[in-house]
Amino acid sequence: MRRPEPFWQDKPVFITGASSGIGEALALELAAVGARVGLFARRKERLEDIARRIQDAGGWAIPLPGDVSRRDDVHRAVARFNREAGPVEVLVANAGRGMGRTPDTDARAVDDLFGINFLGAVYSLEAVLPGMRDRGRGHIAAVSSALALLPGLFGSPTYAASKAAMGRYFEGVGRQLRPEGIFVTVVYPGFVRTEMTAGLRFLPFALEAKDAARRIRRTIERRKARCAFPRRALWLGRLAQLVPTRYQRMGQRRFR
């Protein structure tokens, strides 16, 4: 375990989507600098394994299995975490998934994806916000995606739309909450090597999950309202939008 940092020392942090990828990496990163982390996701065994690794390294963690698309699951997990670790000081709304091979025109699949990627984050905010308001402080980090800034260009438009909705929502909520002493950070990471991206063939300027976690930690510490990285990937995406549509479609097939 690294030396605790004052910003994180004994700070209760609730992380959704903590069983793999950026969520797992963030849990390990924040626990290593002194945070008390609540690990929320569906895969109980994975959460228990991560919690053991943190505890074996001298950190504090608790597995909290549940489904982020179920409002009651989220509220129960936050209530338990509040009892065992103290009131949530930082929420990392990170849970998300892609469409896979399901057509973007499948309305039920679109509904399910928005339930996880967007509403799951809203449920998490709802669960922690009353306590933050009572104390007049707190920090919410919403992990969107750089694809939200490049709609329709790469991958699934449903995924991009769900992450765009998340970004717009939390950026707006952040402006409303700032006068109450509550900070909101929206993170737009580019391609990160995780389970979700493992099957993709085209990952320009991809980062490892631990590198993305480190950048997100520093962004929260600086209380920035918005962070997008890596910049090279965003500039590549903006340039690609100038390419004629027929060539963009070729790129989309390669991406999938």
Side-chain angles (χ1 to χ4, degrees):
M1 183 175 177
R2 303 202 299 269
R3 178 179 295 179
E5 297 182 7
F7 184 94
W8 297 103
Q9 183 64 53
D10 294 323
K11 186 164 288 188
V13 181
F14 187 86
I15 304 172
T16 70
S19 62
S20 65
I22 292 175
E24 176 184 359
L26 263 172
L28 296 170
E29 175 73 18
L30 299 184
V33 293
R36 295 169 174 253
V37 294
L39 311 171
F40 182 83
R42 288 180 296 178
R43 292 180 288 184
K44 181 180 178 181
E45 291 182 0
R46 289 290 296 271
L47 296 181
E48 290 173 343
D49 177 66
I50 296 166
R52 275 194 299 269
R53 288 159 58 193
I54 290 172
Q55 292 159 3
D56 289 346
W60 195 102
I62 181 173
L64 299 162
D67 186 339
V68 76
S69 68
R70 296 183 177 179
R71 181 171 176 261
D72 289 345
D73 280 13
V74 178
H75 279 259
R76 276 195 295 267
V78 168
R80 181 184 169 193
F81 183 67
N82 286 344
R83 290 193 301 269
E84 301 200 22
V88 175
E89 292 277 349
V90 178
L91 164 68
V92 181
N94 167 75
R97 69 168 177 81
M99 283 289 281
R101 296 293 177 180
T102 307
D104 286 281
T105 51
D106 184 325
R108 182 166 294 178
V110 172
D111 182 68
D112 289 343
L113 194 75
F114 268 78
I116 295 169
N117 292 3
F118 177 61
L119 287 178
V122 176
Y123 297 153
S124 303
L125 170 66
E126 179 188 45
V128 305
L129 189 56
M132 290 183 177
R133 278 180 157 153
D134 287 345
R135 297 186 304 278
R137 68 178 188 273
H139 199 123
I140 296 140
V143 182
S144 180
S145 169
L147 295 182
L149 306 176
L150 306 168
L153 188 56
F154 297 113
S156 162
T158 305
Y159 176 81
S162 68
K163 289 296 190 177
M166 182 189 193
R168 288 292 182 91
Y169 175 83
F170 278 93
E171 287 190 13
V173 165
R175 286 189 287 272
Q176 294 177 352
L177 293 178
R178 180 63 190 88
E180 300 181 49
I182 300 168
F183 293 87
V184 176
T185 297
V186 182
V187 184
Y188 296 94
F191 295 114
V192 178
R193 299 188 190 281
T194 65
E195 287 182 13
M196 192 168 75
T197 61
L200 302 180
R201 292 174 289 175
F202 184 54
L203 294 175
F205 309 115
L207 297 174
E208 298 300 326
K210 64 180 181 180
D211 296 322
R214 193 171 300 115
R215 294 191 188 208
I216 294 170
R217 172 176 67 82
R218 290 171 179 166
T219 297
I220 295 171
E221 290 168 357
R222 294 166 185 164
R223 292 179 170 173
K224 293 176 64 175
R226 198 175 198 246
C227 176
F229 62 83
R231 294 185 182 277
R232 291 178 298 172
L234 292 166
W235 281 112
L236 176 64
R238 287 168 183 152
L239 288 172
Q241 288 181 310
L242 303 177
V243 174
T245 303
R246 64 180 180 276
Y247 296 116
Q248 289 185 17
R249 288 175 180 171
M250 291 171 61
Q252 287 175 334
R253 286 196 294 271
R254 184 181 176 187
F255 177 83
R256 286 180 181 274

